[in-house]
Amino acid sequence: MTHFLEMGGYAAYVWPAYGLFVIVFAANIILPLRREKQVVRALRRRRER
Amino acid sequence: MLKFLHGLGSPPRFHQLSRRLTPWLGGISLILLLAGLYGGLVLAPADYQQGDSYRIIFIHVPSAWMSLFVYVLMACFSVAALVWRVKVAEALARASAPLGASFTFLALVTGSLWGKPMWGAWWVWDARLTSELILLFLYLGFMALQSAIEDPRQAARAAGLLSVVGLVNIPIIHYSVVWWNTLHQGSTVIRAGGPAMDTRMLIPLLIMAMGFMFYFAAAVLIRARSEVLERSSRSRWARAVLENDQ
């Protein structure tokens, strides 16, 4: 387990790389889904007027 | 097949297809990514020269591959939008750009994180890195152009022109390690004679690449359908969508 976390001494390089990957991938799904909800809400509101 | 593609150009059908497909595409992508990560981080052996630092490859290479692929796709969508006036293609081109930029960014930064321990430098102005950086600028330029021009048709046209002109960068990136004397290593996978990589490393790499591909498909479809809905907001099908759900 420690060897895995330490990545043979390269942890400072490997884990930030993977962390960035997770953040970028999550953002590119979450943000568009949120935008879709906003668009639907805004369009519904506009129609009610 | 052609009829299917032609049907895809219809905004309501595209919207419906996107809604139905994206959960599956996302699910498949997640499974592939988890499998690839397990194979790459746990199962694959350490490199005899680079130790465990090489494991960045499982993010770096798929990101780089996708950065090139998405650009070509974006240019194709733009051409389809320009030539055949397909609104869905415009939305897909527009949706592809931030994703392509994300992949390019990941390729550059993970490359940098790999380069520091291995080459001793966060950055070098070698041909591969420089041309990939230019790719990032092209993506950002595409996005900036779209937001700077008010009329969506004109914006798509201008950005589309930029994307086509920038296509020349793609073969430059790919062949940079052949044409110039680069610090970045030459092709290990896509080469005559087959991949020169241990199977235990190659398999997770290819699985990650597939995971990235499915991920892109899901992400671009989600992004594009919001825009399609917004642009067609006055149409009957859009009204039906707004009434029916969520």
Side-chain angles (χ1 to χ4, degrees):
Chain A
M1 193 16 123
T2 356
H3 180 88
F4 178 76
L5 289 174
E6 281 174 8
M7 277 291 145
Y10 293 109
Y13 302 100
V14 176
W15 293 122
Y18 278 86
L20 211 59
F21 151 71
V22 170
I23 292 171
V24 170
F25 269 47
N28 273 304
I29 295 286
I30 294 174
L31 294 176
L33 283 175
R34 235 200 283 171
R35 167 125 185 89
E36 183 177 33
K37 287 210 186 96
Q38 287 172 347
V39 166
V40 168
R41 226 183 303 144
L43 289 179
R44 281 211 184 113
R45 232 179 291 139
R46 210 194 302 160
R47 279 201 314 115
E48 270 152 33
R49 269 194 231 125
Chain B
M1 182 67 200
L2 217 55
K3 212 195 291 180
F4 172 72
L5 287 176
H6 187 262
L8 270 187
S10 133
R13 208 165 312 167
F14 173 79
H15 190 268
Q16 186 191 46
L17 196 65
S18 167
R19 280 267 204 87
R20 261 199 269 143
L21 282 180
T22 51
W24 291 101
L25 293 170
I28 294 172
S29 163
L30 190 61
I31 293 172
L32 287 170
L33 290 175
L34 288 173
L37 286 173
Y38 184 73
L41 288 171
V42 178
L43 295 179
D47 183 76
Y48 86 102
Q49 272 183 331
Q50 302 191 29
D52 290 288
S53 72
Y54 92 96
R55 297 189 198 270
I56 293 180
I57 200 177
F58 300 110
I59 308 295
H60 177 73
V61 169
S63 297
W65 283 345
M66 289 307 292
S67 74
L68 300 182
F69 173 73
V70 170
Y71 190 88
V72 174
L73 205 61
M74 184 176 85
C76 289
F77 287 143
S78 292
V79 168
L82 286 172
V83 172
W84 290 291
R85 308 278 185 86
V86 185
K87 223 189 284 179
V88 169
E90 257 180 49
L92 283 168
R94 205 186 177 130
S96 299
L99 281 161
S102 297
F103 289 129
T104 313
F105 170 77
L106 270 179
L108 289 167
V109 176
T110 57
S112 199
L113 285 164
W114 195 356
K116 181 57 179 166
M118 287 302 120
W119 297 338
W122 294 107
W123 181 262
V124 290
W125 291 102
D126 96 345
R128 171 58 64 86
L129 278 68
T130 305
S131 50
E132 181 79 3
L133 182 65
I134 290 176
L135 185 68
L136 180 62
F137 294 154
L138 283 168
Y139 275 119
L140 297 177
F142 184 94
M143 290 158 67
L145 211 48
Q146 294 259 20
S147 50
I149 297 175
E150 287 214 20
D151 175 50
R153 260 281 143 71
Q154 280 188 17
R157 201 179 304 158
L161 203 55
L162 174 67
S163 72
V164 171
V165 166
L167 268 177
V168 68
N169 193 31
I170 301 299
I172 290 177
I173 293 172
H174 180 70
Y175 287 108
S176 58
V177 293
V178 175
W179 294 340
W180 288 285
N181 192 11
T182 61
L183 183 56
H184 191 286
Q185 68 172 71
S187 293
T188 325
V189 181
I190 304 168
R191 56 195 279 284
M197 192 188 286
D198 188 295
T199 326
R200 289 169 297 168
M201 299 175 179
L202 183 62
I203 303 283
L205 181 63
L206 295 177
I207 293 176
M208 286 298 276
M210 282 196 289
F212 271 54
M213 193 59 92
F214 275 91
Y215 170 82
F216 168 70
V220 79
L221 286 176
I222 295 173
R223 250 185 218 270
R225 73 173 181 239
S226 302
E227 165 150 358
V228 168
L229 184 66
E230 216 176 350
R231 293 262 295 262
S232 322
S233 61
R234 297 225 190 87
S235 67
R236 204 163 4 123
W237 73 266
R239 267 180 264 150
V241 165
L242 293 173
E243 266 152 33
N244 280 340
D245 61 30
Q246 289 164 342

